[in-house]
Amino acid sequence: MTLPSAIKGLIITLGLLFCSIGFSQNTLDADEPVTEQRSTFYNAVERQRFFAITVGGHIPFTSGDNFMGEGLEGKSGFDFKVQMYVYKHLFVGLSTGSSYFEVKNQELLGLYKKSRVAYDYVYIGYEFFPADKLRLGVNISIDGNLAYKNYDFNTLDINHQKDTATLNRYGFYLNYELGKHFMIYLDYGYNVSKTDIEVPSELNDFFGKGNYSTIGLGLAFTIGSRDLISRFIK
């Protein structure tokens, strides 16, 4: 099983888990009393969560002297993430989504009009608490893949070329709490891909790596009031 298919399977499983646990949210919170403690930048017991799911969109921006920076122009994209708080505000997560581009330089990339970048990655991170109702999270991918598809026409099901790459992603987000388990987020991600595109050796540097950033906006939902490890510590 490849990493993308494994991640998608885990995301579906965790998504179903989230939905099933959501039905018993009131009971779950009632069984987990939270000790009153003053929040700090690094810790907030009363704002601890167990599981989170985020859904949103983003705008991609290419950069650098590479095939993405010189050949593509970002248009839109979407993100879906699930993450679990392992200990306090340290979390692990899974993400999937796509970014969409227009080809702005066909002399470099060939006679294509559009490109789609689909991605899957595993990440770790930590949340901080700069103010009431605000959560600042930082994260980094620990394993990820990209799939590039270039299309000749506006319809995305014919005459396409596909390439793959590994992904390194560095990001942060700012959540605003609309309710105890409901937030709106703004995030930024910097993505570096190392491709397996076969080109003449003199073009390896240009096609061997692609950089792009994303700025996203969306909704986040959480459940629970204790992290994973604390659930097993009395």
Side-chain angles (χ1 to χ4, degrees), residues 4 6 17 19 23 39 52 62 70 102 104 108 139 142 152 164 167 197 221-222 233:
L17 174 64
C19 293
F23 287 115
S39 296
T62 58
E70 299 294 333
E102 284 191 359
K104 65 180 181 181
L108 288 175
N139 54 71
I142 56 177
D152 289 351
T164 58
L167 171 67
I197 300 174
F221 309 88
T222 65
I233 300 177

Side-chain angles (χ1 to χ4, degrees), residues 77-97:
F78 71 90
D79 304 285
F80 177 80
K81 299 183 179 75
V82 291
Q83 67 187 43
M84 178 181 294
Y85 295 86
V86 178
Y87 182 64
K88 294 186 177 180
H89 310 294
L90 174 69
F91 57 80
V92 297
L94 306 170
S95 179
T96 188

Side-chain angles (χ1 to χ4, degrees), residues 53-222:
I53 183 170
T54 65
V55 181
H58 65 255
I59 299 176
F61 302 90
T62 58
S63 61
D65 183 19
N66 55 73
F67 75 98
M68 293 194 74
E70 299 294 333
L72 299 176
E73 180 179 356
K75 291 301 179 181
S76 62
F78 71 90
D79 304 285
F80 177 80
K81 299 183 179 75
V82 291
Q83 67 187 43
M84 178 181 294
Y85 295 86
V86 178
Y87 182 64
K88 294 186 177 180
H89 310 294
L90 174 69
F91 57 80
V92 297
L94 306 170
S95 179
T96 188
S98 293
S99 298
Y100 298 90
F101 303 85
E102 284 191 359
V103 176
K104 65 180 181 181
N105 191 332
Q106 293 184 338
E107 293 182 358
L108 288 175
L109 302 186
L111 299 179
Y112 301 103
K113 292 186 176 181
K114 296 180 182 293
S115 183
R116 184 185 72 181
V117 177
Y119 59 83
D120 301 285
Y121 62 90
V122 181
Y123 62 93
I124 61 173
Y126 197 88
E127 280 189 354
F128 304 93
F129 303 89
D132 289 344
K133 296 186 179 298
L134 291 181
R135 293 170 175 260
L136 174 64
V138 295
N139 54 71
I140 181 173
S141 66
I142 56 177
D143 195 5
N145 288 295
L146 294 179
Y148 294 92
K149 283 188 177 182
N150 298 319
Y151 299 90
D152 289 351
F153 305 104
N154 290 327
T155 54
L156 300 184
D157 58 351
I158 55 176
N159 296 341
H160 68 266
Q161 175 194 21
K162 182 176 180 179
D163 295 294
T164 58
T166 58
L167 171 67
N168 292 313
R169 187 183 188 277
Y170 314 89
F172 65 87
Y173 61 80
L174 187 65
N175 287 1
Y176 180 78
E177 297 173 338
L178 300 174
K180 184 176 181 180
H181 295 284
F182 181 51
M183 298 173 285
I184 186 171
Y185 76 81
L186 178 68
D187 74 352
Y188 170 81
Y190 180 66
N191 306 276
V192 180
S193 62
K194 295 182 179 180
T195 76
D196 61 359
I197 300 174
E198 296 183 0
V199 293
S201 57
E202 61 269 19
L203 297 177
N204 280 339
D205 290 341
F206 188 77
F207 284 96
K209 183 171 69 174
N211 304 334
Y212 75 100
S213 302
T214 61
I215 296 178
L217 181 68
L219 299 175
F221 309 88
T222 65

